């Protein structure tokens, strides 16, 4: 993974209180992590860092779309994604990120890299099954669907097949209903 300086927040020079950071996430962000599930993305990430005397609190919020293929029709569409996440940063003897919501940085550290947290927030916020909204409401028009409807068995042909029955079978069916 390559390091990106724009996702490093130097918290040493900041005053106590809340500080806001905004990021625009696109395909180049995911290339840092060698993640190619999204064709493109347009996501706004808002990070509020609240600096306290003994710790930091980070509140992540994201909202936007990712351009992905539909799992049913394989048509590309923009899937809306949104979510939020809270991270508490404390200081200790050594680095520890075992807990998802707690990060321990060594004393003397002066910046925090939030790229991994933004990446996980977005990727884990995308549903496992990605279905085009046109599939659910029946408005999706694709070449594959039009060919399937063209080749589908017509109702008229089914009714004609039912009308043309052998008279011997009709007599047998009458035996069943006469009981």
């Amino acid at each position: 993974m390559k390091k990106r300086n724009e996702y490093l927040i130097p918290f040493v020079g900041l005053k106590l209180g809340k500080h806001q950071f905004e990021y625009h996430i696109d395909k180049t962000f995911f290339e840092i992590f060698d993640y190619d599930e999204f064709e493109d993305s347009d996501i706004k990430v808002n990070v509020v860092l609240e600096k306290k005397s003994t710790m930091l609190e980070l509140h992540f919020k994201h909202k936007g779309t990712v351009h992905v293929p539909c799992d049913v029709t394989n048509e590309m569409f923009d899937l809306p994604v949104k979510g939020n996440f809270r991270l508490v940063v404390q200081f200790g003897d050594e680095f520890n990120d075992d807990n998802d919501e707690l990060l321990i940085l060594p004393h003397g550290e002066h910046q925090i890299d939030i790229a991994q947290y933004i990446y996980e927030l977005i990727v884990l916020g995308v549903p496992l099954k990605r279905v085009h909204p046109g599939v659910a409401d029946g408005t999706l028009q694709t070449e594959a669907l039009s060919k399937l409807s063209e080749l589908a068995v017509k109702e008229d042909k089914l009714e004609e097949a039912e009308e043309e029955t052998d008279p011997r079978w009709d007599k047998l069916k009458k035996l069943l209903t006469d009981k």
Side-chain angles (χ1 to χ4, degrees):
M1 180 184 90
K2 307 170 207 159
K3 286 275 188 186
R4 292 282 298 252
N5 288 338
E6 66 186 274
Y7 301 105
L8 291 175
I9 298 178
F11 54 82
V12 169
L14 298 176
K15 295 180 181 177
L16 294 180
K18 292 185 178 184
H19 306 277
Q20 187 166 343
F21 302 91
E22 288 190 8
Y23 300 96
H24 179 261
I25 305 299
D26 57 6
K27 185 174 176 68
T28 57
F29 175 79
F30 293 104
E31 290 172 356
I32 297 170
F33 297 94
D34 294 327
Y35 187 77
D36 57 356
E37 288 286 317
F38 306 148
E39 283 292 315
D40 198 10
S41 63
D42 181 24
I43 302 169
K44 298 273 190 230
V45 177
N46 185 6
V47 180
V48 176
L49 181 135
E50 186 175 352
K51 185 175 180 182
K52 298 181 179 179
S53 58
T54 59
M55 67 179 188
L56 305 170
E57 283 188 27
L58 291 141
H59 300 275
F60 297 85
K61 276 189 179 179
H62 77 282
K63 186 174 185 176
T65 60
V66 291
H67 196 66
V68 294
C70 174
D71 289 336
V72 177
T73 62
N74 209 26
E75 289 291 316
M76 299 302 287
F77 74 103
D78 287 330
L79 178 69
V81 293
K82 68 177 182 176
N84 54 24
F85 175 67
R86 183 173 166 260
L87 177 69
V88 176
V89 181
Q90 293 184 336
F91 300 95
D93 294 330
E94 59 185 39
F95 180 84
N96 186 350
D97 64 350
D98 292 342
N99 191 334
D100 292 339
E101 296 175 359
L102 176 66
L103 173 66
I104 298 176
L105 291 177
H107 294 291
E109 192 70 33
H110 63 281
Q111 63 187 7
I112 181 171
D113 185 8
I114 61 168
Q116 182 70 32
Y117 296 103
I118 293 173
Y119 167 76
E120 290 176 6
L121 177 67
I122 294 170
V123 170
L124 294 176
V126 174
L128 290 175
K129 187 168 184 177
R130 302 173 294 213
V131 180
H132 192 289
V135 172
D137 59 15
T139 60
L140 181 65
Q141 296 297 323
T142 65
E143 187 178 319
L145 289 175
S146 61
K147 190 66 173 175
L148 280 174
S149 63
E150 179 185 314
L151 297 173
V153 177
K154 305 288 188 243
E155 291 292 325
D156 299 337
K157 291 180 182 177
L158 288 175
E159 290 174 5
E160 289 175 11
E162 289 177 7
E163 290 175 7
E164 298 174 14
T165 58
D166 190 351
R168 295 173 289 185
W169 289 110
D170 292 337
K171 296 276 186 184
L172 290 172
K173 286 180 187 174
K174 201 179 225 183
L175 287 174
L176 288 174
T177 57
D178 286 343
K179 288 184 180 179

